[in-house]
Amino acid sequence: MTIDDFIRESIRENESEVKAMIMQKKQERISELLDYSGLGKRFRDKRFDDYVVRGENREAFDKAVEFSKRFPNCPRGLLISGPVGTGKSRLAAPITNSLIDRLYTVICRDITDIVSMIKSTYGKKTDLEEREMVNMLTDDVDLLVIDDLGKEQSTENTLVLLYQIVNRLYCDQKPVVITTNYTGQALVGKLGERGSSIVSRLTEMCDAVAISGKDWRLTND
């Protein structure tokens, strides 16, 4: 082997080692982001490739894929609505996972979990903790995914928190992904006195994505 051959071989070996180290670090970071996201075990391995697309939901699926591909250059988020069990959370999961695979920071949580997480700060030092939690959900993550909007108990305090989160994202022009069983005026009604303000902002911020069909949990598809 000539000295030139030796040098080239050494470079190839070093490149392989560096690539392996980078991939290991990336996988470690992805694991950290998955833990941070709040995405449950049921959805952690869900990808667009294994999503069963029913004919009536092809448009919804395509919008979700396009949003993920374009992120963060998305002028609008997604408001995914449909009956119980039609796959709204199942569609939000691959959005979350595809962005985490690209090392974006995503929080994907049920609305009741988000509210409980914020309320867990109550009774401590000051209201600072609440503001810090709202800041984390709006400023410190690349994308917030709110699952099952309208499922929460609509107390005045809960609605104020929800309005703060939505309004902050609205003012900062950050996209958001929402899933809900309700549409239009039904969602306004579920969100009480602040329903009109919240839904008005979400309508301006998001593209409407409708999902229909039978309850996947009952059909075992």
Side-chain angles (χ1 to χ4, degrees):
M1 176 182 293
T2 67
I3 185 65
D4 289 341
D5 291 337
F6 176 78
I7 292 173
R8 281 192 290 269
E9 182 63 25
S10 297
I11 291 173
R12 280 194 294 269
E13 290 177 357
N14 288 334
E15 286 179 345
S16 297
E17 291 177 2
V18 170
K19 287 179 180 178
M21 289 176 60
I22 290 173
M23 286 304 298
Q24 181 180 353
K25 290 296 183 183
K26 181 178 180 181
Q27 289 303 316
E28 291 173 357
R29 179 57 176 158
I30 287 173
S31 295
E32 292 174 1
L33 291 172
L34 280 169
D35 289 337
Y36 181 75
S37 73
L39 196 63
K41 291 182 179 179
R42 181 179 297 277
F43 295 118
R44 284 195 174 195
D45 62 345
K46 302 303 182 185
R47 297 292 188 277
F48 288 118
D49 289 344
D50 56 32
Y51 187 90
V52 178
V53 185
R54 295 175 173 177
E56 66 270 24
N57 294 327
R58 167 57 65 178
E59 183 179 359
F61 177 81
D62 289 343
K63 284 185 177 181
V65 171
E66 182 64 18
F67 174 86
S68 301
K69 287 181 177 179
R70 293 184 61 185
F71 191 88
N73 300 312
C74 304
R76 294 166 64 82
L78 299 176
L79 180 57
I80 305 171
S81 63
V84 172
T86 49
K88 300 180 296 296
S89 300
R90 177 64 180 82
L91 189 57
I95 294 174
T96 300
N97 284 319
S98 66
L99 297 186
I100 287 176
D101 286 344
R102 290 158 55 194
L103 302 183
Y104 286 107
T105 305
V106 184
I107 286 183
C108 178
R109 287 185 178 268
D110 184 293
I111 182 60
T112 55
D113 289 341
I114 290 175
V115 171
S116 295
M117 195 165 55
I118 295 175
K119 287 184 176 180
S120 69
T121 65
Y122 294 176
K124 296 185 180 179
K125 293 181 294 184
T126 64
D127 289 340
L128 178 61
E129 288 86 357
E130 178 181 307
R131 293 198 297 272
E132 287 175 341
M133 291 297 294
V134 172
N135 289 341
M136 181 191 75
L137 294 168
T138 56
D139 300 340
D140 298 342
V141 299
D142 298 305
L143 178 68
L144 176 62
V145 180
I146 302 177
D147 197 27
D148 262 343
L149 182 64
K151 178 182 177 181
E152 71 285 353
Q153 185 178 0
S154 298
T155 65
E156 176 60 23
N157 181 256
T158 295
L159 294 174
V160 168
L161 289 174
L162 181 58
Y163 176 80
Q164 288 177 347
I165 293 168
V166 171
N167 190 58
R168 178 79 65 82
L169 294 170
Y170 174 80
C171 292
D172 291 344
Q173 296 184 308
K174 292 187 68 172
V176 63
V177 173
I178 306 283
T179 76
T180 179
N181 296 334
Y182 305 94
T183 58
Q185 288 303 309
L187 184 57
V188 171
K190 284 294 295 182
L191 298 179
E193 292 183 3
R194 294 181 180 268
S196 294
S197 298
I198 293 170
V199 174
S200 174
R201 282 162 173 74
L202 290 177
T203 300
E204 184 176 341
M205 295 165 66
C206 300
D207 288 328
V209 177
I211 290 185
S212 59
K214 298 179 180 179
D215 189 330
W216 286 33
R217 302 182 187 95
L218 299 180
T219 59
N220 294 317
D221 288 349

